[in-house]
Amino acid sequence: MLSKKQAKMFFLGGTAVFFLIFIGMTVDTLVNGVPKYTHASQIDDQVRLGRHLWDSNNCMGCHTIMGEGAYYAPELTKVYERRGPEYIKTTFNFPGGWRPNGRNMVEYNFTEQEKEALVAFLKWVGESDLNGFPPKPSVQLNK
Amino acid sequence: MKFKSQKVAYYFFALSMLLLSLQIVYGFIMAFAHMGFDGLHEWIPFNAATATHKNLLVVWILSGFMGAGYFIIPDESDTELWSVPLALLQFYSFAIVGVIAVVGFHVGWFEGRKFLEIPRPLDYLVALNVILFLVILLMTMFKGKKRTTTAWVLTSGLVFAALLYLPGMIWFDNHTVDSFFRWWVVHLWVEGVWELIMGGILAYLLIKLTGVDREVIEKWLYVIVGLTFLSGILGTGHHYYFIGVPKYWLIVGGIFSALEPLAFLGMTLFAIQMYRKGNKKHPNKLAIYWTLSTAIVAFLGAGLLGLAHTLPGVNLYTHGTLVTAMHGHLAFWGAYASLVLAIISYSMPLMTGRKIYDNSIGHMAFWFSNIGMIGMTMAFAAAGVAQVYMERIVGLDFMQAQLEIEPHFFVLIIAATVFSIGITLFIINFIKFGVPVDEAIGEGEEFSALQTS
């Protein structure tokens, strides 16, 4: 029967082994994976500013991006491809707040440069290789 | 209660109750907004409500853990807390940081990263606060006469939780890298070190409530936390499927997250077995109910419902939909919320000397809140599955699908009302206990004699 000491060794040993594997995979991901998958060389000041605006306005508090965030407003990973830059820019400062089909977006007061930066960030996100996410619908009723 | 200083736990438990109530209010605001009733939008837009709802959850659970630490560690170490004034300072600073964060969300002061919405300047205050908490606990353990496995597991869980907060404070240029390390905090907390804390608190409660030999309980505690890390560390991969990292995370994340329910199953079997082996003489029936329910519902919510959408082929469709909300609600309720309610139910009679541990309000609180939460989970499940089919498979526009699933939010609100009645009754009991008194020292010690060790 398992003794307390053996149980302790199982806990400490198992944790150490799997943590080391995890660290190894993390290093490989950051060094070899992410730069390629996300086209990291394309992250310029505009994308950086867009990302900062994305975070500081808690856009993830309503939307998802790469499937992460809240489920109140549309997934935006492919929004650049779906809607194009002009449509996206219209939504930000819309008088009274953009309100498609009854859901209310906050009315922002972005400058033209800030709008461009957010579009640049969304374009960058849309071009990342996300292992097939979001999936293409198998049945297309809208078309 | 053995030591005067254990009373500090009461402050943290009271704060937990207050924040839990507020969290529920924000949950209702969000559910109504999903149904189209967003009259508060001008003052509390959805992104402020969701940041508040999620962060109140994190803060009230942490507050409960801290209270548990202050109650359990002196008892396990057989000594008074190292410093009560510092513990009180830690309490007030913790509460103040929490209030600033919540008020900040309402004026648009965010960091905007799911679960880590607290702005970075406040992160430093949180870190300082947690360091103070840990110093108090560790000093207590070192001056104590005993150093038990239960105390070590609980404390190491708290130490690692603090360490893992750090990767979330670093700024990364690349959104993918930021997300990668955000999950070091969030996943390795809730499916890693928080389970150490859970295991520690659960072991303490089982030792106290069942009278089973400490050595047996602590041996199985090691096995369970071992299983947790064996599956949970590489299980982090299930958050990495679709964020812009190599495909091997799909395989590794899929395999190891499919193993994650084992740790929770272990927790469930452990609690039930220990209860069955025990002498069943402990009069605090409510604490026993909550202790067993946390072990069982954690397996259902975190284990089974997690497994339901964790395989990459399924997750491709369910990722970023209300299916996640289904899993999230029952998982947090079972594993952590119920656990905090268990330690509160166990410790309050001992701190106040009032024997409110088998009354009908308490039992109703237990059943209403559990049934309500299961109803909420089912409403989220129905909404989530319908959303996946309409939006991801049929290709309906996001908002078209949302309008179709609105009725599920009506069901959600009904179930949430039942849940809220349960929580209200729990809080009524909590208030009826009154405040801890020195006369309660020695209260409950007669049950120590029931223990075989």
Side-chain angles (χ1 to χ4, degrees):
Chain A
M1 189 60 188
L2 186 77
S3 71
K4 189 174 172 186
K5 202 174 166 192
Q6 286 168 324
K8 188 176 178 180
M9 287 314 293
F10 165 72
F11 163 55
L12 294 175
T15 303
V17 168
F18 285 99
F19 187 68
L20 286 175
I21 298 174
F22 184 62
I23 294 291
M25 289 178 69
T26 295
V27 171
D28 179 70
T29 299
L30 298 181
V31 175
N32 303 319
V34 173
K36 194 174 83 189
Y37 277 72
T38 64
H39 312 292
S41 57
Q42 290 176 19
I43 301 176
D44 56 15
D45 285 345
Q46 277 292 83
V47 176
R48 256 177 234 123
L49 174 62
R51 157 94 196 290
H52 168 72
L53 291 167
W54 172 268
D55 276 358
S56 57
N57 290 289
N58 195 21
C59 303
M60 251 192 185
C62 294
H63 295 277
T64 47
I65 198 164
M66 299 180 176
E68 299 181 331
Y71 318 122
Y72 186 65
E75 222 302 320
L76 295 182
T77 306
K78 295 285 180 194
V79 70
Y80 185 87
E81 182 186 315
R82 194 167 69 235
R83 300 289 196 190
E86 290 313 312
Y87 183 100
I88 298 171
K89 278 158 67 180
T90 310
T91 62
F92 299 128
N93 297 358
F94 197 81
W98 186 248
R99 198 183 174 92
N101 303 307
R103 282 212 182 148
N104 219 337
M105 183 162 152
V106 175
E107 182 186 339
Y108 292 100
N109 191 20
F110 292 137
T111 63
E112 196 55 31
Q113 195 212 352
E114 288 171 330
K115 288 187 208 169
E116 293 284 351
L118 274 160
V119 168
F121 172 66
L122 292 168
K123 180 169 182 282
W124 171 80
V125 170
E127 287 168 357
S128 292
D129 178 354
L130 304 181
N131 293 332
F133 184 85
K136 292 256 179 292
S138 32
V139 192
Q140 273 280 14
L141 284 189
N142 287 348
K143 287 185 180 166
Chain B
M1 182 170 68
K2 239 193 241 169
F3 299 102
K4 218 174 172 175
S5 52
Q6 283 175 287
K7 290 189 303 183
V8 173
Y10 175 79
Y11 291 88
F12 289 88
F13 293 155
L15 180 67
S16 276
M17 294 294 96
L18 178 69
L19 300 182
L20 166 61
S21 319
L22 271 176
Q23 192 209 351
I24 293 172
V25 171
Y26 279 83
F28 274 107
I29 293 175
M30 291 157 74
F32 276 110
H34 266 279
M35 283 186 70
F37 302 107
D38 64 345
L40 292 172
H41 173 79
E42 285 294 310
W43 303 278
I44 311 173
F46 194 88
N47 62 347
T50 188
T52 310
H53 183 70
K54 288 190 188 96
N55 284 273
L56 282 173
L57 167 74
V58 175
V59 176
W60 86 256
I61 300 257
L62 281 179
S63 182
F65 286 168
M66 287 170 176
Y70 284 135
F71 186 82
I72 293 173
I73 296 300
D75 188 12
E76 287 287 291
S77 310
D78 208 13
T79 182
E80 288 283 358
L81 207 58
W82 176 60
S83 168
V84 173
L86 281 180
L88 287 174
L89 173 72
Q90 191 254 322
F91 168 76
Y92 286 112
S93 55
F94 184 72
I96 289 168
V97 172
V99 170
I100 295 174
V102 168
V103 172
F105 293 153
H106 291 77
V107 293
W109 195 34
F110 298 116
E111 196 174 283
R113 296 149 76 234
K114 192 178 182 182
F115 288 109
L116 303 180
E117 285 91 347
I118 296 179
R120 279 187 171 83
L122 285 184
D123 279 343
Y124 294 101
L125 293 179
V126 172
L128 273 180
N129 187 275
V130 173
I131 290 170
L132 177 58
F133 167 67
L134 291 172
V135 167
I136 297 167
L137 281 200
L138 288 169
M139 289 303 287
T140 307
M141 280 181 77
F142 282 114
K143 83 177 176 95
K145 301 175 196 109
K146 287 192 299 183
R147 278 165 213 166
T148 65
T149 301
T150 300
W152 271 120
V153 170
L154 173 60
T155 311
S156 56
L158 293 163
V159 170
F160 284 116
L163 284 176
L164 281 169
Y165 194 66
L166 304 177
M169 291 167 62
I170 309 167
W171 166 268
F172 296 103
D173 249 2
N174 191 322
H175 180 79
T176 293
V177 181
D178 185 81
S179 200
F180 193 92
F181 283 109
R182 188 166 55 82
W183 289 116
W184 273 43
V185 188
V186 181
H187 174 90
L188 291 177
W189 265 15
V190 298
E191 282 154 89
V193 296
W194 279 25
E195 283 185 57
L196 280 186
I197 301 170
M198 181 188 181
I201 296 176
L202 202 58
Y204 174 81
L205 286 168
L206 288 170
I207 289 169
K208 295 290 175 184
L209 292 167
T210 66
V212 173
D213 187 86
R214 174 184 285 275
E215 287 298 300
V216 176
I217 289 186
E218 290 181 342
K219 177 176 84 181
W220 289 110
L221 175 63
Y222 274 132
V223 174
I224 288 161
V225 294
L227 281 174
T228 299
F229 283 115
L230 202 133
S231 57
I233 295 175
L234 292 178
T236 315
H238 64 227
H239 296 289
Y240 295 161
Y241 294 160
F242 311 119
I243 63 166
V245 297
K247 289 198 171 41
Y248 54 67
W249 285 108
L250 297 176
I251 301 163
V252 173
I255 293 170
F256 284 88
S257 54
L259 294 175
E260 278 186 46
L262 280 182
F264 284 106
L265 181 64
M267 203 93 80
T268 311
L269 296 176
F270 167 64
I272 292 174
Q273 264 311 100
M274 294 306 132
Y275 174 69
R276 288 176 61 183
K277 272 174 77 128
N279 52 35
K280 303 187 182 67
K281 286 182 192 150
H282 203 285
N284 193 337
K285 298 288 177 244
L286 289 171
I288 293 171
Y289 269 56
W290 284 108
T291 302
L292 291 177
S293 82
T294 188
I296 295 167
V297 183
F299 171 63
L300 296 178
L304 278 188
L305 292 184
L307 182 66
H309 70 134
T310 199
L311 294 177
V314 178
N315 196 252
L316 176 65
Y317 290 91
T318 58
H319 181 50
T321 67
L322 289 159
V323 170
T324 311
M326 157 198 84
H327 157 60
H329 278 79
L330 199 66
F332 268 104
W333 168 250
Y336 302 118
S338 300
L339 179 73
V340 170
L341 301 185
I343 186 74
I344 291 177
S345 301
Y346 172 74
S347 61
M348 285 301 284
L350 303 181
M351 287 194 288
T352 61
R354 300 196 68 179
K355 296 180 173 35
I356 307 175
Y357 40 47
D358 198 15
N359 66 346
S360 59
I361 293 183
H363 283 279
M364 273 165 31
F366 176 83
W367 289 110
F368 271 74
S369 54
N370 272 292
I371 291 170
M373 182 52 83
I374 288 169
M376 287 165 65
T377 306
M378 287 163 74
F380 275 124
V385 172
Q387 183 192 4
V388 167
Y389 272 94
M390 285 189 279
E391 198 188 318
R392 298 278 165 88
I393 294 179
V394 177
L396 277 191
D397 177 64
F398 175 87
M399 267 315 297
Q400 277 178 291
Q402 290 293 311
L403 292 173
E404 293 297 327
I405 60 175
E406 271 183 7
H408 298 299
F409 281 88
F410 179 69
V411 179
L412 177 75
I413 288 169
I414 302 284
T417 306
V418 175
F419 173 76
S420 308
I421 292 170
I423 297 301
T424 307
L425 293 173
F426 190 95
I427 293 173
I428 288 174
N429 248 2
F430 184 84
I431 294 168
K432 277 169 68 179
F433 275 113
V435 292
V437 286
D438 287 345
E439 291 74 46
I441 289 174
E443 193 70 45
E445 289 308 304
E446 64 271 26
F447 304 122
S448 309
L450 295 174
Q451 288 169 37
T452 48
S453 64

